[in-house]
Amino acid sequence: MSIFPSLFGHHKPEAVTSLRSRLDNVFDDFFKDWPEAGAAKWLRPAVDVAETKEGLEIKVDLPDMNREDIQLELHGDQLLIQGQREFKKEQKEDKGYHLMERSYGSFRRVIPLPFSLSDNSDVKASYEKGVLTVMLPKPVGEQVNSKRIEIK
């Protein structure tokens, strides 16, 4: 038994847990029907950036999109990826949705690059099986000048 008084009185520990659970449910129920909650994942598609010997490899998950609906732009040391996935409602009388978790709408991602490219002629991009892959070559002649710093 604690010598400090409880905010919940002299209730059993399971009563406190029950109250906490009920409060959590109130907040969960409050936000579950907001349209932005479901769209947030689509508005920010997952991105992987990996460095190779040749340059950077960027992969972006863009499921169920057409290649024509994706735009890539290079702005110095930033790569802009944007597009839109539209909902195409099927006109079938015998089809009614019970649950819709897939998100639709536009997205925009700006990927900061560790170097600047003035020319995009060597940049390669492909889209296969819902994954956009962008290969950015390292600039020629750019050396990484690194020196070890002694910690005192």
Side-chain angles (χ1 to χ4, degrees), residues 40-81:
K41 289 180 187 174
W42 178 245
L43 295 176
R44 195 160 174 87
V47 174
D48 290 341
V49 179
E51 186 172 356
T52 66
K53 291 178 184 177
E54 297 81 28
L56 290 180
E57 176 186 67
I58 299 172
K59 291 190 175 195
V60 186
D61 287 344
L62 300 172
D64 199 27
M65 285 194 65
N66 294 320
R67 183 174 292 134
E68 302 81 35
D69 297 331
I70 304 167
Q71 292 87 38
L72 285 175
E73 294 178 19
L74 185 61
H75 298 279
D77 64 347
Q78 295 182 336
L79 179 67
L80 172 66
I81 305 168

Side-chain angles (χ1 to χ4, degrees), residues 27 92 142:
F27 287 105
K92 292 184 179 179
E142 184 169 308

